[in-house]
Amino acid sequence: MPVTSVRRAHQPDGGGPRLRPPAHRVSPRAIAHWAIEYLLLWGLGLGLAWGVAAWIDDADWDGLPGWMIERVWWLPFLIGVAGVLMVTVAPVWRYRVHRWEVSSDVVYTRTGWFSREWLLVPVSRIQTVDTEQGWLERMLGLATIEVNTASHAGSSEVAGLPVAVATRLAEDLARRAHDLRDDAT
Amino acid sequence: MNVQEEGRGSPPSDDPGDDHIPEASAERDGAEPGGAESGGAESGSVKPGGVEPVALRLHPLTFVVGAARELIALLAAGAAGLAVGGLSTAFYFTLVGLGIGFVFHLATWATFTYTVHEDRIALRRALIGRSVKTIPRDRIRGVDISATLAHRVLGLAIVHIDAGADGGEGELNAVSLQEAERLRKVLLARASTAAERAAPEPQRRVLGRMESRWYVYAPLSGAYLLTPFALAGSLLGTLYNLSDDFGLITRDRLENLGHEVVGLPTLVVIILAILFLIAMPVMSVIVFTLFNWDFTVYERDGSVVAERGLMTRRSVSLERRRIRGVELADNPFERLAGVVRLGALVTGLGDAAHRGRLLPAAPGTAVESLARRVLGPPPAPLIMHPRGARSRRITRAVAPPAGVGVLAVLAGQPWVAYGCAVVALLAVPLGIDRYRQLGHASDGERLTVRSGSLRRRQAVVEHGAVVGWRIRQTLFQRRLGLATLVVAVGAGDGGYPAVDMAEEDAPAFAAEITPAWLDPFLTR
């Protein structure tokens, strides 16, 4: 084991090994899934903002500075623009980031979009494997696998897998986790 | 003893037997008979192939403790009632309430039994409907014994059985002290260590102990400084409620009181305030001492036991093999004084912040030597994080007050904006200190990560306790070539972050600790 307890300077790029991305993409239908989800969420937000703006406009309330009341309709407008961006950009971005791979003894995932997360969970530390399907996922034939360890920080979720893949993977992982289980917890 | 400790290079979890057996058997010949007798008589219930397990009741005096509170309430109510004007209706109600409470306590006692089976402990309740709570013995992760003042007067103790997140927990309130000790011994001894269980009373080996002058560190932690307020508040609240119940509080009196307080001369108010300020640290030392009196950490039976408290003596047993790490915490004041708090990271321990405590306040050297005895030497020195992390720490410290300040300007509140500007300026040194406290390191067996300034925390974790790695990188971090590595651990908080490491150091650090997990995914 190399001795590392020595102060060392930040190495310039290209020094150390890098993590390669996991091998498999999730199903392209996941884009539709995320888009619909964002659409519903931001649609709701837009509706609420609209309502609030209309209410403030009507109520003649002087608890806010004048310039805010004059521009109160900016609120739903801004939320609408952000929502359109989210619905169009984020799902594709996410699809490009989301990847997964199961090697002989590690579940390796990459998730996120604006910020990314790489998660490595060894099969031997897995406690439970769940598959889940929300109503939207059921319509699109997708499923989510949840891999839980004794730590919430070490629990991963692979969303947007085709149902058949998810089921097979969950069974496989559960069986192997049972065989390999060691008592780290 | 020192030699043994120095020699222990491996994690302590795998050597419970080595230290104990020779000395234990020596003890068997000599001064043993008294201690184990009570255990011997009853432990027939757990020996394989022995007698059918016996259902045991709690100690008969239990209801006295339960009823004591109501008794005190009754006495207070009675005295107050008499003072107000003879026996009022409220007083009779209290009396009836006490009677019902008494019967209830008696019935609860009579209908509750517990049985220690070979593989489980069953707590059976039959007062209203029947319920049996079964805790598998291999799930039991800790057995705490505590006793309030009332319990101690009667020689009783509360046994709290902790069985992790999925096993639930059970409480025996209350049993005799001997029975509590016996239960702890029986429940913590695992089936595999039958030999160890058969050995007589194991010796306790003190690992660490509070020294009397350390109690003075109490005000530094800040947590105990507010105790005078809390005490005064609860006292006033109780007084108000009590006198309200007996109709002592009328609108007139309240108003009079208000006028009197307002009418006090300024000097008196200032003196009162100063007295209160002086009282704060003094009270904090007193309260701290009450809770942590004679804080002792010792090792027994493959468990690390922490005992503390003056009025309520509390002891927490942490099974050694479940201690997967320690956490050192301090704040800037404590750092100046060189004081550190030590806690254990234990798998499946509920309320870990309180129950995993190993030293509430002690000089750094004492904490480190205890950490070394409980877990092993923490890796040192720490590797600093790259420069980019500093600007990020400063930005993140300054941004919130600056943001509020901008909002305040927009909303036309200049004074709030000035305040925010001052806070934002103060946040710069805070950010710099946060950066300086960042660090990580690893040796052959343990890894450590440190972060925070106002509450600096350094976690030391055994390599074997890592259950996964999470690397996080926001767009901003990516621009600076940074990433945060979270060590997922099935103990303590569940995850300990090494904030803003160099991008390529994060996988390298993980690969160094668990090469087999990372290697398939690394490219040079």
Side-chain angles (χ1 to χ4, degrees):
Chain A
M1 185 65 63
V3 180
T4 53
S5 335
V6 178
R7 276 185 184 219
R8 84 183 153 197
H10 166 45
Q11 292 163 343
D13 282 0
R18 286 176 170 275
L19 272 179
R20 66 167 171 77
H24 312 293
R25 282 186 193 281
V26 298
S27 162
R29 280 183 309 234
I31 300 178
H33 177 211
W34 288 318
I36 296 172
E37 255 184 11
Y38 281 130
L39 195 65
L40 293 175
L41 193 72
W42 284 89
L44 188 71
L46 182 65
L48 281 176
W50 200 284
V52 167
W55 177 66
I56 290 179
D57 210 17
D58 263 13
D60 223 17
W61 178 48
D62 54 1
L64 287 172
W67 61 267
M68 256 189 206
I69 298 197
E70 278 164 33
R71 295 174 179 78
V72 75
W73 287 101
W74 285 24
L75 181 72
F77 177 73
L78 286 177
I79 287 185
V81 170
V84 168
L85 272 178
M86 287 293 284
V87 171
T88 51
V89 175
V92 181
W93 195 347
R94 277 175 86 138
Y95 174 70
R96 293 168 61 92
V97 173
H98 275 237
R99 282 167 165 270
W100 64 277
E101 180 175 350
V102 179
S103 78
S104 55
D105 40 40
V106 179
V107 180
Y108 176 31
T109 58
R110 186 176 76 178
T111 55
W113 54 291
F114 183 77
S115 64
R116 298 174 173 198
E117 285 197 345
W118 291 257
L119 188 67
L120 292 126
V121 176
V123 177
S124 60
R125 302 288 201 266
I126 292 175
Q127 287 188 327
T128 59
V129 184
D130 306 342
T131 36
E132 271 180 13
Q133 264 190 310
W135 62 275
L136 224 105
E137 285 178 303
R138 264 170 57 188
M139 278 165 47
L140 292 164
L142 296 173
T144 300
I145 286 197
E146 253 186 60
V147 174
N148 294 306
T149 66
S151 151
H152 64 86
S155 299
S156 84
E157 206 183 86
V158 190
L161 295 177
V163 177
V165 176
T167 320
R168 189 161 42 77
L169 196 62
E171 274 170 17
D172 179 49
L173 280 177
R175 187 170 41 73
R176 273 160 57 193
H178 182 259
D179 292 346
L180 286 172
R181 179 114 183 85
D182 61 8
D183 196 25
T185 49
Chain B
M1 187 183 286
N2 270 328
V3 179
Q4 276 179 4
E5 285 152 18
E6 304 295 342
R8 174 185 296 133
S10 59
S13 50
D14 52 15
D15 66 348
D18 301 353
D19 298 355
H20 296 255
I21 286 165
E23 284 166 74
S25 52
E27 216 171 292
R28 193 199 314 238
D29 305 327
E32 192 267 318
E37 212 165 52
S38 58
E42 284 159 302
S43 62
S45 57
V46 296
K47 275 191 181 130
V51 199
E52 183 71 7
V54 195
L56 298 169
R57 284 232 163 82
L58 297 175
H59 197 280
L61 285 180
T62 298
F63 74 89
V64 177
V65 181
R69 272 176 56 196
E70 276 127 44
L71 202 70
I72 291 167
L74 170 81
L75 288 179
L82 283 171
V84 173
L87 299 170
S88 61
T89 331
F91 178 73
Y92 286 119
F93 270 115
T94 320
L95 198 65
V96 171
L98 181 87
I100 292 173
F102 195 76
V103 171
F104 174 77
H105 280 294
L106 209 61
T108 316
W109 172 78
T111 52
F112 180 85
T113 59
Y114 62 95
T115 319
V116 183
H117 295 273
E118 219 170 291
D119 56 339
R120 64 191 191 278
I121 175 165
L123 313 179
R124 202 176 299 269
R125 221 176 283 280
L127 184 56
I128 306 163
R130 283 161 189 281
S131 80
V132 183
K133 176 167 202 164
T134 313
I135 302 174
R137 284 177 61 183
D138 56 356
R139 288 285 156 131
I140 294 176
R141 296 176 173 192
V143 177
D144 299 359
I145 298 178
S146 63
T148 67
L149 195 60
H151 285 94
R152 278 162 80 187
V153 168
L154 296 168
L156 301 179
I158 305 166
V159 177
H160 188 95
I161 302 165
D162 193 43
D166 44 351
E169 50 188 11
E171 197 180 65
L172 299 175
N173 183 1
V175 294
S176 71
L177 264 179
Q178 296 100 303
E179 173 67 359
E181 284 297 328
R182 181 190 77 86
L183 279 173
R184 165 154 70 183
K185 219 162 60 186
V186 167
L187 292 178
L188 281 184
R190 275 159 290 134
S192 55
T193 54
E196 219 176 290
R197 206 190 310 157
E201 189 69 13
Q203 84 290 9
R204 41 187 270 181
R205 194 166 73 101
V206 174
L207 301 174
R209 169 170 258 156
M210 276 294 269
E211 280 176 25
S212 46
R213 61 200 159 80
W214 298 351
Y215 295 101
V216 184
Y217 296 145
L220 294 176
S221 82
Y224 292 93
L225 274 182
L226 296 178
T227 41
F229 294 102
L231 280 179
S234 69
L235 201 70
L236 281 178
T238 316
L239 271 179
Y240 183 88
N241 280 339
L242 264 179
S243 27
D244 201 22
D245 285 348
F246 292 103
L248 283 178
I249 288 185
T250 59
R251 210 184 150 78
D252 287 350
R253 285 185 191 174
L254 272 185
E255 277 172 2
N256 276 337
L257 190 71
H259 288 309
E260 277 161 26
V261 169
V262 174
L264 280 178
T266 329
L267 190 67
V268 176
V269 174
I270 290 176
I271 290 177
L272 277 179
I274 290 175
L275 278 181
F276 210 73
L277 278 181
I278 296 173
M280 277 169 63
V282 174
M283 283 303 285
S284 74
V285 171
I286 293 174
V287 174
F288 181 81
T289 312
L290 277 184
F291 281 125
N292 296 310
W293 178 253
D294 192 27
F295 198 109
T296 313
V297 181
Y298 57 88
E299 182 179 25
R300 187 177 60 186
D301 246 358
S303 299
V304 172
V305 186
E307 236 180 65
R308 65 167 184 269
L310 188 64
M311 307 290 263
T312 299
R313 194 83 183 141
R314 196 173 158 75
S315 103
V316 181
S317 298
L318 308 169
E319 218 184 327
R320 192 126 214 195
R321 64 180 182 127
R322 298 208 183 268
I323 300 181
R324 309 312 304 267
V326 292
E327 186 183 78
L328 295 90
D330 56 18
N331 64 30
F333 300 110
E334 289 172 315
R335 270 208 293 289
L336 279 176
V339 176
V340 186
R341 284 167 275 152
L342 184 71
L345 307 182
V346 185
T347 54
L349 183 73
D351 190 18
H354 287 106
R355 295 170 59 208
R357 199 176 293 168
L358 290 180
L359 266 187
T365 46
V367 163
E368 209 183 303
S369 88
L370 180 59
R372 192 175 301 130
R373 286 174 196 193
V374 170
L375 187 77
L382 295 187
I383 300 163
M384 292 205 43
H385 290 191
R387 271 302 159 110
R390 193 173 66 174
S391 56
R392 208 169 122 75
R393 285 303 102 197
I394 296 175
T395 315
R396 290 182 60 127
V398 172
V404 176
V406 169
L407 281 183
V409 169
L410 287 180
Q413 301 272 354
W415 284 107
V416 177
Y418 295 145
C420 287
V422 172
V423 175
L425 273 182
L426 287 177
V428 174
L430 175 68
I432 293 175
D433 194 49
R434 279 202 185 136
Y435 164 68
R436 287 201 335 195
Q437 305 305 346
L438 291 181
H440 65 274
S442 161
D443 58 17
E445 287 160 37
R446 283 163 288 275
L447 68 99
T448 180
V449 296
R450 189 175 73 182
S451 62
S453 170
L454 295 180
R455 181 158 175 262
R456 179 175 76 160
R457 305 202 303 163
Q458 179 178 6
V460 184
V461 179
E462 283 177 6
H463 286 182
V466 177
V467 299
W469 299 104
R470 184 183 284 262
I471 299 173
R472 221 171 17 213
Q473 192 178 44
T474 64
L475 217 56
F476 303 121
Q477 278 178 312
R478 199 164 163 193
R479 258 192 16 228
L480 293 163
L482 302 172
T484 296
L485 173 72
V486 183
V487 186
V489 182
D493 286 356
Y496 291 91
V499 180
D500 288 344
M501 294 175 78
E503 198 174 12
E504 63 273 3
D505 275 3
F509 186 66
E512 192 184 293
I513 289 157
T514 56
W517 303 351
L518 270 289
D519 278 351
F521 310 117
L522 289 180
T523 52
R524 295 268 155 199

